[in-house]
Amino acid sequence: MSSFKGNALRGTFFLIFGLGWSVKYPLKYLRYSASYPHLEGKNMICICLYCLGMLAEQFVPDGPHMGLYSGGTYSWEKLTNWQYTTMYLFYGLSGIVDVLSYSPLKLSLGLDRLLLSVAMFTEGFLFCFHDYNNTALDQHLHSLLLIAIFGGALCALMEVFLRDHTILEFFRTSFFILQGSWFWQIGFVLSPPWGGPGWDQTDRGNFNFLTMCFFWHYAAALLVTAANSVFSYWYVVGRGLLENKRSD
Amino acid sequence: MSSFKGNALRGTFFLIFGLGWSVKYPLKYLRYSASYPHLEGKNMICICLYCLGMLAEQFVPDGPHMGLYSGGTYSWEKLTNWQYTTMYLFYGLSGIVDVLSYSPLKLSLGLDRLLLSVAMFTEGFLFCFHDYNNTALDQHLHSLLLIAIFGGALCALMEVFLRDHTILEFFRTSFFILQGSWFWQIGFVLSPPWGGPGWDQTDRGNFNFLTMCFFWHYAAALLVTAANSVFSYWYVVGRGLLENKRSD
Amino acid sequence: MSSFKGNALRGTFFLIFGLGWSVKYPLKYLRYSASYPHLEGKNMICICLYCLGMLAEQFVPDGPHMGLYSGGTYSWEKLTNWQYTTMYLFYGLSGIVDVLSYSPLKLSLGLDRLLLSVAMFTEGFLFCFHDYNNTALDQHLHSLLLIAIFGGALCALMEVFLRDHTILEFFRTSFFILQGSWFWQIGFVLSPPWGGPGWDQTDRGNFNFLTMCFFWHYAAALLVTAANSVFSYWYVVGRGLLENKRSD
Amino acid sequence: MSSFKGNALRGTFFLIFGLGWSVKYPLKYLRYSASYPHLEGKNMICICLYCLGMLAEQFVPDGPHMGLYSGGTYSWEKLTNWQYTTMYLFYGLSGIVDVLSYSPLKLSLGLDRLLLSVAMFTEGFLFCFHDYNNTALDQHLHSLLLIAIFGGALCALMEVFLRDHTILEFFRTSFFILQGSWFWQIGFVLSPPWGGPGWDQTDRGNFNFLTMCFFWHYAAALLVTAANSVFSYWYVVGRGLLENKRSD
């Protein structure tokens, strides 16, 4: 599933989280005294999403179907799918800790952000050490993605120590949206949905354009995050839902 | 516009900001209680500068004139100009946030510095991933520039958390002046204004000299920043304009 | 001793420390008011472990037996064993400072963590600069190990400034367990105990699988650390040993 | 002066500073209320040392004697000496700021440490970008040196924000002593004072041994720093010179 559908699935996955956070954090910021009985349920949905991701990577028609080593050919099977399964596994672990942090277990504050950071660093290192065997454009696209991944991972790591920091949450949200839209871009570049081959892997112009394009995606991600913040603010304030005005 | 004029324009752009800050921050520090009705106007001038930069990169005689892809030759057009346009775009975004942070919109404190940091990291990564196709001296000059860019970006990022820190502002200002003067140096080295070819791209002596030269530029940038601070101090104190003596 | 036994010894060494910490830190956290007359004794045991490690690296049958330079062949002798001896030496220094920090010498608070960090950075740089002469898989396995080493070193360094931070201690513990289990994995991959050659050094599938495998080890290390924390908590609370409930 | 004498001079220079600090900081820590009328004088001596270093690099018999470009051969002259001159220049700037920080000029607190950090980063980048034209052992020795340089630079940078932090001062001092002793080692390896060629540039054993040797130097540097701290403590306490017992 290194084809268009796989990248679209991953992109959608990150976009859901990014866009969800871009609404959740401004709301949290505006009504921080309200109780959240429904949030645990939302986190359960997240964990289901991670599980769906893992199952999709494993059981698509050309997936490994839980087979890791082929005794016949003495070779590893469908390692790319397994790597994405590993990626979803770590996001799943972070989701479980997220749910537990609302439970009466009294976890150390910040453990949820630490696990999120670990999940993103794991994703980043998996891409770093991935073997792109001579598909230079493929490698270039994922190198750019690393900026978004490690950027987000560093944000989450800093949030362990600087909890509920508005700027860090804004920054991390924008990196998630960037990651989501860039996975879609990767899908369109490497295996267009309308068939035909991907872009020319040897044309240096493609490399330069995609570098620039990545930062246009980021400008768009920043605008979307900002627009959602403003929209959430106006929605709450305009409808008189605001209970506690921010006091800093 | 990868010629002398383009580099001179970029150099001037960064020098204006660097030198402006080298006067602005000491003044802010000396008269921090004064109101600043005129600052918003100054920030508007900044945004105009960014727009001028973008227009200059696009509409110089040998620029892309907003054309990105040539259907005739099936190739990307004038990508270097587009990359500089992207750079100015991000500085423009940071300028807009800067203006908004003086408005009654109640932006999160530090968002202006975050966007400035994002603009500088974007500039740095654009140079990192740029394709210098075998012009080793060109690459060396821009590698040195990266020290100034990422140094400034890290300063701005730290200012998100340590706001109004004199040392960080001093440091960031010196990196901007360094960037400005180094763009001029790049212009002189790669395409001298008096015509003729640039410096020899294969002579290793040139590489070693320019490495050293970069740090001489930095020594000069530090001296200029320090001199402007002292000058601002004496100007305000000597003319009796000082209202609140610094109290730390 | 670059064979299975050596890697197993190193792995066991790190596992003992990691597993010990995974029990020690939750206990410290639960009963922080209790006196620790017996801890100095435990640290003495640590120092003995370091000394044993150094002796084992030197005096195994195919070890250097304290000989560093062979005058006969004009070449350095058994440098790999010497490098591991150096590694144990730095851990030994950190252990001595650890013991001294419980003495009435009034060491600066945090010096023990600094020395631990120095020991881990030393280990990391020794692997970085090691010469793997064309054994690419060997290098890949140790590159992955570097993530665990430098991760742990950064944790210890941050603990100099953020002392007794639960999350950092949890994180560092998990990196030590990861290091321990990965040394065992290295042993099994490069020189299986049941004889025969190690894995194919040229099959790219092995590289991709081991990258993924490393993160499975880390998921397991996280689970073990978490399980030990929960077990320690239940052991103390269930047996009524808890004196001071945590108050944050 | 890339010969033994040059490296010995640089080594001595860093050893003087490192050993001086290893005595100065414990004394400062013990008698922090005492006045320091004599310290400015000591800093003046430092500046003289920097000037002497610059003059020595320029006016040794085989030095450039202030000539930078040879019109005859159209090539740069003695760039290595010029690079060390640049290094001393930045240390000189940091020394001047150090003196000024004791003057009534009211410099921002931390500017002296910032300039020291800038000087060390400059030194590090000069070595990074240096052209070692195929002398791999030379490059390896200086790569190891970079650990000491950047380690010290990061310490000094953190001291801008965490002033008078005992651990950071201890750490920075040990890195300076390491740098000093390693310059001596470089001298002995590349151009032994008893004549004859340097070590074999192609023997991989030399590389592995020197990596290890670097960390032995560091273990020694740590021991020397610790011993000087203990000695200073006993000297002051034993002679009844202690006025204010430390109170943290």
Side-chain angles (χ1 to χ4, degrees):
Chain A
M1 197 167 66
S2 65
S3 62
F4 179 74
K5 279 181 196 165
N7 281 309
L9 184 80
R10 282 159 225 145
T12 310
F13 172 81
F14 282 106
L15 276 178
I16 289 173
F17 276 87
L19 292 173
W21 287 344
S22 74
V23 174
K24 177 188 159 196
Y25 288 126
L27 290 182
K28 187 188 72 170
Y29 180 55
L30 287 167
R31 315 187 289 172
Y32 49 82
S33 70
S35 58
Y36 292 104
H38 51 296
L39 263 182
E40 218 168 315
K42 276 185 199 157
N43 282 323
M44 285 300 179
I45 296 172
C46 295
I47 296 177
C48 293
L49 273 177
Y50 299 121
C51 292
L52 273 178
M54 288 170 74
L55 292 174
E57 293 287 345
Q58 287 290 328
F59 297 105
V60 286
D62 59 342
H65 297 82
M66 300 303 293
L68 181 57
Y69 194 79
S70 158
T73 61
Y74 294 105
S75 68
W76 302 101
E77 293 226 315
K78 310 269 180 200
L79 279 178
T80 304
N81 291 54
W82 274 101
Q83 289 196 355
Y84 284 111
T85 309
T86 306
M87 180 186 95
Y88 286 118
L89 170 71
F90 271 86
Y91 278 106
L93 281 180
S94 113
I96 290 170
V97 172
D98 213 25
V99 168
L100 290 180
S101 68
Y102 287 97
S103 76
L105 263 183
K106 287 187 183 169
L107 290 190
S108 294
L109 210 70
L111 204 61
D112 51 341
R113 295 297 146 83
L114 183 73
L115 263 285
L116 180 61
S117 176
V118 165
M120 301 191 79
F121 274 115
T122 299
E123 188 195 354
F125 283 120
L126 282 173
F127 285 123
C128 271
F129 285 101
H130 189 77
D131 181 32
Y132 295 97
N133 44 24
N134 303 323
T135 52
L137 191 65
D138 202 340
Q139 183 159 22
H140 183 67
L141 287 166
H142 287 92
S143 299
L144 289 166
L145 188 64
L146 285 182
I147 298 173
I149 296 172
F150 284 124
L154 285 174
C155 281
L157 190 59
M158 289 182 72
E159 281 182 84
V160 174
F161 305 101
L162 292 169
R163 206 169 169 77
D164 290 323
H165 195 287
T166 332
I167 300 275
L168 286 174
E169 287 170 349
F170 179 89
F171 213 20
R172 173 160 56 89
T173 303
S174 70
F175 277 129
F176 254 71
I177 295 176
L178 170 62
Q179 225 190 115
S181 71
W182 194 246
F183 266 119
W184 277 90
Q185 179 80 46
I186 291 177
F188 279 105
V189 169
L190 296 182
S191 48
W194 46 79
W199 293 18
D200 185 355
Q201 295 259 353
T202 55
D203 178 8
R204 301 304 299 177
N206 285 340
F207 285 75
N208 279 329
F209 169 71
L210 284 166
T211 304
M212 201 163 58
C213 183
F214 178 76
F215 291 104
W216 294 353
H217 275 256
Y218 191 48
L222 283 172
L223 289 177
V224 166
T225 317
N228 276 7
S229 296
V230 171
F231 174 77
S232 311
Y233 185 80
W234 279 343
Y235 180 82
V236 171
V237 173
R239 289 187 25 178
L241 297 171
L242 186 64
E243 296 154 23
N244 298 53
K245 272 204 164 287
R246 64 175 183 172
S247 55
D248 65 294
Chain B
M1 197 167 67
S2 65
S3 63
F4 180 74
K5 278 181 196 164
N7 282 310
L9 185 79
R10 282 159 224 143
T12 310
F13 172 81
F14 283 106
L15 276 178
I16 288 173
F17 277 87
L19 292 173
W21 287 344
S22 74
V23 175
K24 178 188 159 195
Y25 288 125
L27 290 183
K28 188 188 73 172
Y29 180 54
L30 287 167
R31 315 185 291 172
Y32 50 81
S33 70
S35 57
Y36 292 102
H38 52 293
L39 263 181
E40 218 166 315
K42 276 184 200 158
N43 282 322
M44 285 299 178
I45 296 173
C46 296
I47 296 176
C48 292
L49 273 177
Y50 299 121
C51 292
L52 272 178
M54 289 171 74
L55 293 174
E57 293 287 346
Q58 288 290 327
F59 297 106
V60 285
D62 59 342
H65 297 84
M66 300 303 294
L68 180 56
Y69 193 79
S70 159
T73 61
Y74 295 105
S75 67
W76 302 100
E77 294 225 314
K78 310 270 178 198
L79 279 179
T80 304
N81 291 54
W82 273 101
Q83 290 196 355
Y84 285 111
T85 309
T86 306
M87 180 186 95
Y88 286 118
L89 170 71
F90 271 86
Y91 278 107
L93 281 179
S94 113
I96 289 170
V97 172
D98 213 25
V99 168
L100 290 180
S101 68
Y102 287 97
S103 76
L105 263 183
K106 287 187 182 169
L107 290 190
S108 295
L109 210 69
L111 204 60
D112 51 342
R113 296 296 147 83
L114 182 74
L115 264 284
L116 180 62
S117 177
V118 165
M120 300 191 79
F121 274 115
T122 300
E123 188 195 354
F125 283 120
L126 282 173
F127 284 123
C128 271
F129 284 101
H130 189 77
D131 181 31
Y132 295 96
N133 44 23
N134 302 325
T135 52
L137 191 66
D138 203 339
Q139 183 159 21
H140 183 67
L141 286 166
H142 286 92
S143 299
L144 289 166
L145 188 62
L146 286 181
I147 298 173
I149 296 172
F150 284 125
L154 286 174
C155 280
L157 190 60
M158 289 181 72
E159 282 182 83
V160 174
F161 305 101
L162 292 169
R163 206 172 170 74
D164 290 322
H165 195 288
T166 333
I167 300 276
L168 285 174
E169 286 170 350
F170 179 88
F171 213 20
R172 172 160 56 88
T173 303
S174 71
F175 277 129
F176 254 71
I177 296 177
L178 170 62
Q179 225 189 115
S181 72
W182 194 248
F183 266 120
W184 276 90
Q185 178 81 46
I186 291 176
F188 278 105
V189 168
L190 296 181
S191 48
W194 46 79
W199 293 17
D200 185 356
Q201 296 259 352
T202 54
D203 178 9
R204 300 305 300 177
N206 284 340
F207 286 75
N208 279 330
F209 170 71
L210 284 166
T211 305
M212 201 163 57
C213 183
F214 179 76
F215 290 103
W216 294 354
H217 274 257
Y218 191 48
L222 283 173
L223 289 177
V224 167
T225 316
N228 276 7
S229 296
V230 171
F231 174 76
S232 311
Y233 185 79
W234 280 344
Y235 180 81
V236 171
V237 172
R239 289 189 22 179
L241 297 170
L242 185 65
E243 296 153 22
N244 299 52
K245 273 204 164 286
R246 64 177 186 173
S247 55
D248 65 291
Chain C
M1 196 166 69
S2 66
S3 63
F4 179 73
K5 279 181 196 164
N7 281 310
L9 185 78
R10 282 159 223 144
T12 310
F13 173 80
F14 282 106
L15 276 178
I16 289 174
F17 276 88
L19 292 173
W21 287 344
S22 75
V23 175
K24 177 188 159 194
Y25 288 126
L27 290 182
K28 187 187 72 169
Y29 180 54
L30 287 166
R31 315 187 289 172
Y32 48 83
S33 69
S35 57
Y36 292 103
H38 52 294
L39 263 181
E40 217 167 315
K42 276 184 199 157
N43 282 322
M44 285 298 178
I45 296 172
C46 296
I47 296 177
C48 292
L49 273 177
Y50 298 121
C51 292
L52 272 178
M54 288 170 74
L55 292 174
E57 293 287 347
Q58 287 291 327
F59 296 107
V60 285
D62 59 343
H65 297 83
M66 301 302 294
L68 181 56
Y69 194 79
S70 158
T73 61
Y74 294 105
S75 67
W76 302 101
E77 293 226 314
K78 310 271 179 198
L79 278 179
T80 305
N81 291 53
W82 274 102
Q83 290 196 354
Y84 284 112
T85 309
T86 306
M87 181 186 94
Y88 286 118
L89 171 71
F90 271 87
Y91 279 107
L93 281 180
S94 113
I96 290 170
V97 172
D98 213 25
V99 169
L100 289 181
S101 69
Y102 287 98
S103 77
L105 262 183
K106 287 185 182 170
L107 290 190
S108 295
L109 211 70
L111 203 61
D112 51 343
R113 296 296 148 83
L114 182 74
L115 264 284
L116 181 61
S117 176
V118 165
M120 300 191 80
F121 274 115
T122 300
E123 187 194 354
F125 283 119
L126 282 172
F127 285 123
C128 271
F129 285 101
H130 189 77
D131 180 32
Y132 295 96
N133 43 23
N134 302 323
T135 51
L137 191 66
D138 202 340
Q139 183 160 23
H140 183 67
L141 287 166
H142 287 91
S143 299
L144 289 166
L145 187 62
L146 285 182
I147 298 173
I149 296 173
F150 285 125
L154 285 174
C155 280
L157 190 60
M158 289 182 72
E159 282 182 83
V160 174
F161 305 102
L162 292 169
R163 205 170 170 77
D164 290 324
H165 196 287
T166 332
I167 300 276
L168 286 174
E169 287 170 349
F170 179 88
F171 213 20
R172 173 161 55 89
T173 303
S174 70
F175 278 129
F176 254 70
I177 295 176
L178 170 61
Q179 227 191 113
S181 71
W182 194 248
F183 266 120
W184 277 90
Q185 179 82 46
I186 291 177
F188 278 105
V189 169
L190 296 181
S191 47
W194 47 79
W199 293 17
D200 185 355
Q201 295 260 352
T202 55
D203 178 9
R204 299 306 299 176
N206 284 340
F207 286 75
N208 279 331
F209 169 70
L210 284 166
T211 304
M212 202 163 57
C213 183
F214 178 77
F215 290 104
W216 294 353
H217 274 257
Y218 191 49
L222 283 172
L223 288 178
V224 167
T225 317
N228 276 7
S229 296
V230 171
F231 174 76
S232 311
Y233 185 79
W234 280 343
Y235 180 81
V236 171
V237 173
R239 290 190 20 181
L241 297 171
L242 185 65
E243 297 152 24
N244 299 53
K245 272 205 165 287
R246 65 176 184 174
S247 55
D248 67 289
Chain D
M1 197 166 66
S2 66
S3 63
F4 179 74
K5 280 181 195 165
N7 281 310
L9 185 79
R10 282 159 224 144
T12 310
F13 173 80
F14 283 107
L15 277 178
I16 288 173
F17 276 87
L19 293 173
W21 286 345
S22 74
V23 175
K24 178 187 159 195
Y25 288 126
L27 290 182
K28 188 188 73 172
Y29 181 53
L30 287 167
R31 314 187 290 173
Y32 49 80
S33 70
S35 57
Y36 293 103
H38 52 294
L39 263 181
E40 218 166 314
K42 276 185 199 156
N43 282 323
M44 285 299 177
I45 296 172
C46 296
I47 296 177
C48 292
L49 273 177
Y50 299 122
C51 292
L52 272 178
M54 289 171 74
L55 293 174
E57 294 287 348
Q58 287 290 327
F59 296 106
V60 285
D62 59 341
H65 297 83
M66 300 304 293
L68 180 58
Y69 194 79
S70 158
T73 60
Y74 294 105
S75 67
W76 302 100
E77 293 226 314
K78 311 271 179 196
L79 279 178
T80 305
N81 290 54
W82 273 101
Q83 290 197 354
Y84 284 111
T85 310
T86 306
M87 180 187 96
Y88 286 118
L89 171 72
F90 271 87
Y91 278 106
L93 282 179
S94 113
I96 290 171
V97 172
D98 213 25
V99 168
L100 290 180
S101 69
Y102 287 97
S103 76
L105 263 182
K106 287 185 181 170
L107 290 190
S108 296
L109 211 69
L111 204 59
D112 50 342
R113 297 296 148 83
L114 182 73
L115 264 284
L116 181 61
S117 176
V118 165
M120 301 191 78
F121 274 115
T122 300
E123 188 195 353
F125 283 120
L126 282 173
F127 285 124
C128 271
F129 285 101
H130 189 77
D131 180 32
Y132 295 96
N133 43 23
N134 303 324
T135 51
L137 191 65
D138 203 341
Q139 184 160 21
H140 183 68
L141 286 165
H142 287 91
S143 299
L144 289 167
L145 188 63
L146 285 181
I147 299 173
I149 296 172
F150 285 125
L154 286 174
C155 281
L157 190 60
M158 289 181 72
E159 282 182 83
V160 175
F161 305 102
L162 292 169
R163 206 172 169 74
D164 290 323
H165 195 287
T166 331
I167 300 276
L168 285 174
E169 287 170 349
F170 179 88
F171 213 18
R172 174 161 55 89
T173 303
S174 71
F175 278 129
F176 254 71
I177 295 177
L178 170 61
Q179 227 190 110
S181 71
W182 193 247
F183 266 119
W184 276 90
Q185 179 81 47
I186 291 177
F188 278 106
V189 169
L190 296 182
S191 48
W194 46 79
W199 293 18
D200 185 356
Q201 296 260 350
T202 56
D203 178 9
R204 300 305 300 176
N206 285 339
F207 285 75
N208 279 330
F209 169 71
L210 285 166
T211 305
M212 202 163 57
C213 184
F214 179 76
F215 291 104
W216 294 353
H217 274 258
Y218 191 48
L222 282 172
L223 289 178
V224 166
T225 317
N228 276 7
S229 296
V230 171
F231 175 76
S232 310
Y233 185 79
W234 279 344
Y235 180 81
V236 171
V237 173
R239 289 188 23 179
L241 297 171
L242 186 66
E243 296 153 23
N244 299 52
K245 274 205 162 287
R246 63 176 188 176
S247 56
D248 66 289

